[in-house]
mmCIF file of all heavy atoms in Angstrom:
data_model
loop_
_atom_site.group_PDB
_atom_site.id
_atom_site.type_symbol
_atom_site.label_atom_id
_atom_site.label_comp_id
_atom_site.label_asym_id
_atom_site.label_seq_id
_atom_site.Cartn_x
_atom_site.Cartn_y
_atom_site.Cartn_z
ATOM 1 N N GLY A 1382 26.011 102.258 137.662
ATOM 2 C CA GLY A 1382 26.655 101.778 138.862
ATOM 3 C C GLY A 1382 25.950 102.534 140.076
ATOM 4 O O GLY A 1382 24.780 102.929 139.945
ATOM 5 N N LEU A 1383 26.464 102.474 141.254
ATOM 6 C CA LEU A 1383 25.920 103.075 142.336
ATOM 7 C C LEU A 1383 25.512 104.569 142.143
ATOM 8 O O LEU A 1383 24.395 104.962 142.478
ATOM 9 C CB LEU A 1383 26.788 102.933 143.622
ATOM 10 C CG LEU A 1383 27.144 101.521 144.009
ATOM 11 C CD1 LEU A 1383 28.175 101.596 145.128
ATOM 12 C CD2 LEU A 1383 25.970 100.757 144.435
ATOM 13 N N GLY A 1384 26.530 105.254 141.635
ATOM 14 C CA GLY A 1384 26.293 106.615 141.566
ATOM 15 C C GLY A 1384 25.350 107.075 140.470
ATOM 16 O O GLY A 1384 24.320 107.837 140.664
ATOM 17 N N GLY A 1385 25.404 106.420 139.396
ATOM 18 C CA GLY A 1385 24.422 106.692 138.196
ATOM 19 C C GLY A 1385 23.053 106.361 138.516
ATOM 20 O O GLY A 1385 22.095 107.171 138.323
ATOM 21 N N LEU A 1386 22.769 105.207 139.201
ATOM 22 C CA LEU A 1386 21.508 104.809 139.575
ATOM 23 C C LEU A 1386 20.940 105.724 140.672
ATOM 24 O O LEU A 1386 19.605 106.043 140.689
ATOM 25 C CB LEU A 1386 21.403 103.344 139.874
ATOM 26 C CG LEU A 1386 21.653 102.311 138.912
ATOM 27 C CD1 LEU A 1386 21.702 100.916 139.470
ATOM 28 C CD2 LEU A 1386 20.631 102.396 137.856
ATOM 29 N N CYS A 1387 21.657 105.993 141.671
ATOM 30 C CA CYS A 1387 21.236 106.932 142.764
ATOM 31 C C CYS A 1387 20.843 108.196 142.215
ATOM 32 O O CYS A 1387 19.827 108.794 142.668
ATOM 33 C CB CYS A 1387 22.412 107.036 143.850
ATOM 34 S SG CYS A 1387 21.858 107.880 145.326
ATOM 35 N N LEU A 1388 21.627 108.730 141.319
ATOM 36 C CA LEU A 1388 21.295 110.017 140.811
ATOM 37 C C LEU A 1388 19.896 109.986 139.967
ATOM 38 O O LEU A 1388 18.955 110.855 140.051
ATOM 39 C CB LEU A 1388 22.458 110.509 139.717
ATOM 40 C CG LEU A 1388 22.093 111.813 139.040
ATOM 41 C CD1 LEU A 1388 21.942 113.043 139.982
ATOM 42 C CD2 LEU A 1388 23.209 112.093 137.997
ATOM 43 N N ALA A 1389 19.752 108.836 139.167
ATOM 44 C CA ALA A 1389 18.455 108.715 138.476
ATOM 45 C C ALA A 1389 17.230 108.682 139.374
ATOM 46 O O ALA A 1389 16.207 109.253 139.071
ATOM 47 C CB ALA A 1389 18.598 107.449 137.614
ATOM 48 N N GLN A 1390 17.438 108.002 140.471
ATOM 49 C CA GLN A 1390 16.359 107.928 141.441
ATOM 50 C C GLN A 1390 16.046 109.445 141.901
ATOM 51 O O GLN A 1390 14.958 109.735 141.978
ATOM 52 C CB GLN A 1390 16.820 107.136 142.771
ATOM 53 C CG GLN A 1390 16.845 105.584 142.488
ATOM 54 C CD GLN A 1390 15.450 105.054 142.576
ATOM 55 O OE1 GLN A 1390 14.400 105.597 142.893
ATOM 56 N NE2 GLN A 1390 15.306 103.742 142.022
ATOM 57 N N ALA A 1391 17.089 110.159 142.242
ATOM 58 C CA ALA A 1391 16.725 111.453 142.785
ATOM 59 C C ALA A 1391 16.043 112.362 141.771
ATOM 60 O O ALA A 1391 15.164 113.161 142.107
ATOM 61 C CB ALA A 1391 18.132 112.057 143.281
ATOM 62 N N LEU A 1392 16.680 112.379 140.610
ATOM 63 C CA LEU A 1392 16.204 113.186 139.390
ATOM 64 C C LEU A 1392 14.659 112.928 139.095
ATOM 65 O O LEU A 1392 13.857 113.646 139.007
ATOM 66 C CB LEU A 1392 16.983 113.075 138.265
ATOM 67 C CG LEU A 1392 18.428 113.616 138.345
ATOM 68 C CD1 LEU A 1392 19.193 113.533 136.965
ATOM 69 C CD2 LEU A 1392 18.549 115.061 138.759
ATOM 70 N N THR A 1393 14.469 111.435 139.243
ATOM 71 C CA THR A 1393 13.074 111.029 138.870
ATOM 72 C C THR A 1393 12.168 111.571 139.912
ATOM 73 O O THR A 1393 11.049 112.173 139.677
ATOM 74 C CB THR A 1393 13.092 109.548 138.786
ATOM 75 O OG1 THR A 1393 13.910 109.109 137.861
ATOM 76 C CG2 THR A 1393 11.615 109.022 138.495
ATOM 77 N N ARG A 1394 12.509 111.531 141.190
ATOM 78 C CA ARG A 1394 11.733 112.077 142.309
ATOM 79 C C ARG A 1394 11.496 113.545 142.198
ATOM 80 O O ARG A 1394 10.462 114.086 142.457
ATOM 81 C CB ARG A 1394 12.329 111.798 143.721
ATOM 82 C CG ARG A 1394 12.153 110.436 144.090
ATOM 83 C CD ARG A 1394 12.672 110.266 145.605
ATOM 84 N NE ARG A 1394 11.762 110.850 146.546
ATOM 85 C CZ ARG A 1394 12.128 111.179 147.721
ATOM 86 N NH1 ARG A 1394 13.426 111.289 148.165
ATOM 87 N NH2 ARG A 1394 11.109 111.655 148.564
ATOM 88 N N ALA A 1395 12.495 114.257 141.619
ATOM 89 C CA ALA A 1395 12.380 115.674 141.452
ATOM 90 C C ALA A 1395 11.677 116.120 140.073
ATOM 91 O O ALA A 1395 11.578 117.245 139.741
ATOM 92 C CB ALA A 1395 13.825 116.382 141.428
ATOM 93 N N GLY A 1396 11.295 115.037 139.333
ATOM 94 C CA GLY A 1396 10.605 115.463 138.129
ATOM 95 C C GLY A 1396 11.554 115.806 136.999
ATOM 96 O O GLY A 1396 10.948 116.478 135.950
ATOM 97 N N ILE A 1397 12.770 115.594 137.071
ATOM 98 C CA ILE A 1397 13.699 115.961 136.040
ATOM 99 C C ILE A 1397 13.956 114.631 135.127
ATOM 100 O O ILE A 1397 14.330 113.518 135.556
ATOM 101 C CB ILE A 1397 15.030 116.409 136.511
ATOM 102 C CG1 ILE A 1397 14.790 117.523 137.420
ATOM 103 C CG2 ILE A 1397 16.057 116.682 135.531
ATOM 104 C CD1 ILE A 1397 15.948 118.065 138.159
ATOM 105 N N ASP A 1398 13.710 114.849 133.767
ATOM 106 C CA ASP A 1398 13.759 113.743 132.743
ATOM 107 C C ASP A 1398 15.203 113.330 132.758
ATOM 108 O O ASP A 1398 16.123 114.037 132.679
ATOM 109 C CB ASP A 1398 13.279 114.397 131.537
ATOM 110 C CG ASP A 1398 13.572 113.419 130.381
ATOM 111 O OD1 ASP A 1398 13.246 112.152 130.493
ATOM 112 O OD2 ASP A 1398 14.118 113.867 129.285
ATOM 113 N N CYS A 1399 15.452 112.046 132.807
ATOM 114 C CA CYS A 1399 16.773 111.404 132.661
ATOM 115 C C CYS A 1399 16.758 110.021 132.185
ATOM 116 O O CYS A 1399 15.650 109.308 132.201
ATOM 117 C CB CYS A 1399 17.582 111.389 134.086
ATOM 118 S SG CYS A 1399 16.691 110.295 135.370
ATOM 119 N N VAL A 1400 17.933 109.539 131.555
ATOM 120 C CA VAL A 1400 17.967 108.257 131.089
ATOM 121 C C VAL A 1400 19.376 107.776 131.352
ATOM 122 O O VAL A 1400 20.266 108.449 131.432
ATOM 123 C CB VAL A 1400 17.879 108.118 129.539
ATOM 124 C CG1 VAL A 1400 17.987 106.696 129.014
ATOM 125 C CG2 VAL A 1400 16.499 108.615 129.115
ATOM 126 N N VAL A 1401 19.559 106.521 131.919
ATOM 127 C CA VAL A 1401 20.859 105.934 132.250
ATOM 128 C C VAL A 1401 21.306 104.956 131.147
ATOM 129 O O VAL A 1401 20.458 104.083 130.732
ATOM 130 C CB VAL A 1401 20.705 105.181 133.667
ATOM 131 C CG1 VAL A 1401 22.149 104.738 133.941
ATOM 132 C CG2 VAL A 1401 20.064 106.019 134.681
ATOM 133 N N TYR A 1402 22.448 105.140 130.626
ATOM 134 C CA TYR A 1402 23.039 104.296 129.598
ATOM 135 C C TYR A 1402 24.108 103.396 130.158
ATOM 136 O O TYR A 1402 25.148 103.953 130.675
ATOM 137 C CB TYR A 1402 23.525 105.175 128.469
ATOM 138 C CG TYR A 1402 22.473 105.924 127.810
ATOM 139 C CD1 TYR A 1402 22.362 107.263 128.301
ATOM 140 C CD2 TYR A 1402 21.616 105.464 126.840
ATOM 141 C CE1 TYR A 1402 21.326 108.105 127.730
ATOM 142 C CE2 TYR A 1402 20.601 106.170 126.280
ATOM 143 C CZ TYR A 1402 20.372 107.528 126.818
ATOM 144 O OH TYR A 1402 19.384 108.218 126.292
ATOM 145 N N GLU A 1403 23.924 102.053 130.163
ATOM 146 C CA GLU A 1403 24.874 101.153 130.846
ATOM 147 C C GLU A 1403 25.461 100.185 129.720
ATOM 148 O O GLU A 1403 24.862 99.566 128.931
ATOM 149 C CB GLU A 1403 24.190 100.353 131.868
ATOM 150 C CG GLU A 1403 24.896 99.127 132.404
ATOM 151 C CD GLU A 1403 26.253 99.444 133.036
ATOM 152 O OE1 GLU A 1403 26.420 100.435 133.832
ATOM 153 O OE2 GLU A 1403 27.252 98.748 132.796
ATOM 154 N N ARG A 1404 26.721 99.975 129.862
ATOM 155 C CA ARG A 1404 27.583 99.074 128.946
ATOM 156 C C ARG A 1404 27.141 97.644 129.097
ATOM 157 O O ARG A 1404 27.006 97.060 128.112
ATOM 158 C CB ARG A 1404 29.066 99.280 129.244
ATOM 159 C CG ARG A 1404 29.905 98.510 128.355
ATOM 160 C CD ARG A 1404 31.427 98.632 128.805
ATOM 161 N NE ARG A 1404 31.521 98.288 130.266
ATOM 162 C CZ ARG A 1404 32.539 98.546 131.046
ATOM 163 N NH1 ARG A 1404 33.680 99.083 130.413
ATOM 164 N NH2 ARG A 1404 32.592 98.122 132.246
ATOM 165 N N ASP A 1405 27.040 97.247 130.400
ATOM 166 C CA ASP A 1405 26.703 95.813 130.603
ATOM 167 C C ASP A 1405 25.387 95.381 130.081
ATOM 168 O O ASP A 1405 24.525 96.269 129.852
ATOM 169 C CB ASP A 1405 26.793 95.528 132.104
ATOM 170 C CG ASP A 1405 28.154 95.611 132.631
ATOM 171 O OD1 ASP A 1405 29.102 95.537 131.932
ATOM 172 O OD2 ASP A 1405 28.223 95.533 133.992
ATOM 173 N N ALA A 1406 25.217 94.064 129.935
ATOM 174 C CA ALA A 1406 23.957 93.688 129.276
ATOM 175 C C ALA A 1406 22.769 93.620 130.339
ATOM 176 O O ALA A 1406 21.705 93.592 130.092
ATOM 177 C CB ALA A 1406 24.156 92.223 128.806
ATOM 178 N N GLY A 1407 23.179 93.633 131.616
ATOM 179 C CA GLY A 1407 22.157 93.605 132.621
ATOM 180 C C GLY A 1407 22.819 93.888 134.031
ATOM 181 O O GLY A 1407 24.045 93.934 134.023
ATOM 182 N N LEU A 1408 22.030 93.922 135.070
ATOM 183 C CA LEU A 1408 22.562 94.409 136.393
ATOM 184 C C LEU A 1408 23.518 93.352 136.930
ATOM 185 O O LEU A 1408 24.497 93.460 137.719
ATOM 186 C CB LEU A 1408 21.558 94.473 137.402
ATOM 187 C CG LEU A 1408 20.972 96.017 137.756
ATOM 188 C CD1 LEU A 1408 20.277 95.953 139.055
ATOM 189 C CD2 LEU A 1408 22.147 96.892 137.767
ATOM 190 N N ASP A 1409 23.271 92.003 136.554
ATOM 191 C CA ASP A 1409 24.016 90.919 137.107
ATOM 192 C C ASP A 1409 24.907 90.201 136.088
ATOM 193 O O ASP A 1409 25.306 89.074 136.210
ATOM 194 C CB ASP A 1409 22.971 89.907 137.744
ATOM 195 C CG ASP A 1409 21.986 89.336 136.726
ATOM 196 O OD1 ASP A 1409 22.037 89.911 135.547
ATOM 197 O OD2 ASP A 1409 21.182 88.531 137.002
ATOM 198 N N SER A 1410 25.205 90.907 135.052
ATOM 199 C CA SER A 1410 25.927 90.203 133.966
ATOM 200 C C SER A 1410 27.486 90.001 134.441
ATOM 201 O O SER A 1410 28.190 89.323 133.824
ATOM 202 C CB SER A 1410 25.862 91.023 132.631
ATOM 203 O OG SER A 1410 26.312 92.245 132.826
ATOM 204 N N ARG A 1411 27.864 90.701 135.532
ATOM 205 C CA ARG A 1411 29.324 90.367 135.985
ATOM 206 C C ARG A 1411 29.323 90.690 137.509
ATOM 207 O O ARG A 1411 28.600 91.539 138.012
ATOM 208 C CB ARG A 1411 30.385 90.994 135.217
ATOM 209 C CG ARG A 1411 30.460 92.499 135.439
ATOM 210 C CD ARG A 1411 31.361 93.353 134.509
ATOM 211 N NE ARG A 1411 30.932 94.733 134.524
ATOM 212 C CZ ARG A 1411 31.352 95.654 135.338
ATOM 213 N NH1 ARG A 1411 32.269 95.304 136.130
ATOM 214 N NH2 ARG A 1411 30.887 96.774 135.249
ATOM 215 N N ALA A 1412 30.063 89.941 138.250
ATOM 216 C CA ALA A 1412 30.313 90.142 139.589
ATOM 217 C C ALA A 1412 31.101 91.493 139.786
ATOM 218 O O ALA A 1412 32.007 91.792 139.114
ATOM 219 C CB ALA A 1412 31.064 89.024 140.234
ATOM 220 N N GLN A 1413 30.536 92.305 140.764
ATOM 221 C CA GLN A 1413 31.166 93.640 140.959
ATOM 222 C C GLN A 1413 31.577 93.772 142.409
ATOM 223 O O GLN A 1413 31.766 94.979 142.829
ATOM 224 C CB GLN A 1413 30.187 94.613 140.538
ATOM 225 C CG GLN A 1413 29.799 94.692 139.083
ATOM 226 C CD GLN A 1413 29.393 96.041 138.590
ATOM 227 O OE1 GLN A 1413 28.831 96.804 139.452
ATOM 228 N NE2 GLN A 1413 29.439 96.144 137.400
ATOM 229 N N GLY A 1414 31.621 92.877 143.229
ATOM 230 C CA GLY A 1414 32.078 92.941 144.652
ATOM 231 C C GLY A 1414 30.825 92.571 145.553
ATOM 232 O O GLY A 1414 29.787 92.342 145.093
ATOM 233 N N TYR A 1415 31.163 92.663 146.785
ATOM 234 C CA TYR A 1415 30.148 92.054 147.787
ATOM 235 C C TYR A 1415 29.799 93.096 148.812
ATOM 236 O O TYR A 1415 28.871 93.907 148.692
ATOM 237 C CB TYR A 1415 30.789 90.834 148.442
ATOM 238 C CG TYR A 1415 31.275 89.773 147.287
ATOM 239 C CD1 TYR A 1415 32.522 89.683 146.979
ATOM 240 C CD2 TYR A 1415 30.230 89.323 146.521
ATOM 241 C CE1 TYR A 1415 33.030 88.888 145.997
ATOM 242 C CE2 TYR A 1415 30.576 88.401 145.554
ATOM 243 C CZ TYR A 1415 31.952 88.198 145.124
ATOM 244 O OH TYR A 1415 32.261 87.447 144.099
ATOM 245 N N ARG A 1416 30.513 93.241 149.879
ATOM 246 C CA ARG A 1416 30.106 94.020 151.024
ATOM 247 C C ARG A 1416 30.459 95.524 150.820
ATOM 248 O O ARG A 1416 31.598 95.830 150.318
ATOM 249 C CB ARG A 1416 30.831 93.574 152.304
ATOM 250 C CG ARG A 1416 30.542 94.235 153.592
ATOM 251 C CD ARG A 1416 31.180 95.447 153.765
ATOM 252 N NE ARG A 1416 32.378 95.535 154.464
ATOM 253 C CZ ARG A 1416 33.476 96.096 154.038
ATOM 254 N NH1 ARG A 1416 33.554 96.740 152.917
ATOM 255 N NH2 ARG A 1416 34.512 96.174 154.752
ATOM 256 N N LEU A 1417 29.547 96.406 151.019
ATOM 257 C CA LEU A 1417 29.798 97.840 151.001
ATOM 258 C C LEU A 1417 29.602 98.402 152.332
ATOM 259 O O LEU A 1417 28.344 98.270 152.748
ATOM 260 C CB LEU A 1417 28.924 98.603 149.919
ATOM 261 C CG LEU A 1417 29.230 98.492 148.514
ATOM 262 C CD1 LEU A 1417 28.115 99.092 147.625
ATOM 263 C CD2 LEU A 1417 30.579 99.239 148.210
ATOM 264 N N ARG A 1418 30.524 99.126 152.927
ATOM 265 C CA ARG A 1418 30.290 99.752 154.235
ATOM 266 C C ARG A 1418 29.691 101.070 153.921
ATOM 267 O O ARG A 1418 30.386 102.032 153.177
ATOM 268 C CB ARG A 1418 31.575 99.816 154.954
ATOM 269 C CG ARG A 1418 31.402 100.317 156.362
ATOM 270 C CD ARG A 1418 32.738 100.070 157.211
ATOM 271 N NE ARG A 1418 32.921 98.810 157.723
ATOM 272 C CZ ARG A 1418 32.442 98.296 158.805
ATOM 273 N NH1 ARG A 1418 31.643 99.023 159.504
ATOM 274 N NH2 ARG A 1418 32.617 97.076 159.142
ATOM 275 N N ILE A 1419 28.623 101.392 154.328
ATOM 276 C CA ILE A 1419 27.815 102.609 154.051
ATOM 277 C C ILE A 1419 27.801 103.482 155.345
ATOM 278 O O ILE A 1419 27.235 103.073 156.451
ATOM 279 C CB ILE A 1419 26.366 102.373 153.519
ATOM 280 C CG1 ILE A 1419 26.401 101.604 152.259
ATOM 281 C CG2 ILE A 1419 25.751 103.754 153.377
ATOM 282 C CD1 ILE A 1419 27.032 102.221 151.042
ATOM 283 N N ASP A 1420 28.552 104.521 155.375
ATOM 284 C CA ASP A 1420 28.571 105.326 156.644
ATOM 285 C C ASP A 1420 27.423 106.312 156.705
ATOM 286 O O ASP A 1420 26.505 106.356 155.807
ATOM 287 C CB ASP A 1420 30.037 106.065 156.723
ATOM 288 C CG ASP A 1420 30.222 107.040 155.549
ATOM 289 O OD1 ASP A 1420 29.198 107.515 154.961
ATOM 290 O OD2 ASP A 1420 31.277 107.525 155.377
ATOM 291 N N ALA A 1421 27.544 107.079 157.794
ATOM 292 C CA ALA A 1421 26.263 107.982 157.967
ATOM 293 C C ALA A 1421 26.145 108.978 156.878
ATOM 294 O O ALA A 1421 24.973 109.324 156.415
ATOM 295 C CB ALA A 1421 26.623 108.831 159.275
ATOM 296 N N ASP A 1422 27.185 109.447 156.133
ATOM 297 C CA ASP A 1422 27.068 110.277 155.074
ATOM 298 C C ASP A 1422 26.441 109.735 153.807
ATOM 299 O O ASP A 1422 25.541 110.107 153.197
ATOM 300 C CB ASP A 1422 28.450 110.892 154.707
ATOM 301 C CG ASP A 1422 28.334 112.007 153.730
ATOM 302 O OD1 ASP A 1422 27.444 112.878 153.890
ATOM 303 O OD2 ASP A 1422 29.217 112.069 152.800
ATOM 304 N N GLY A 1423 26.952 108.325 153.600
ATOM 305 C CA GLY A 1423 26.363 107.625 152.473
ATOM 306 C C GLY A 1423 24.879 107.356 152.723
ATOM 307 O O GLY A 1423 24.064 107.461 151.797
ATOM 308 N N ALA A 1424 24.573 106.938 153.933
ATOM 309 C CA ALA A 1424 23.140 106.638 154.231
ATOM 310 C C ALA A 1424 22.202 107.889 154.196
ATOM 311 O O ALA A 1424 21.075 107.825 153.638
ATOM 312 C CB ALA A 1424 23.074 106.057 155.595
#
Side-chain angles (χ1 to χ4, degrees):
L1383 300 173
L1386 290 175
C1387 189
L1388 177 65
Q1390 286 282 351
L1392 294 182
T1393 303
R1394 282 188 80 202
I1397 299 172
D1398 172 47
C1399 65
V1400 178
V1401 185
Y1402 299 93
E1403 166 59 46
R1404 179 188 57 187
D1405 288 347
L1408 260 200
D1409 57 356
S1410 53
R1411 69 192 159 90
Q1413 293 200 339
Y1415 307 105
R1416 183 287 264 130
L1417 277 174
R1418 189 171 280 276
I1419 303 295
D1420 63 18
D1422 193 38

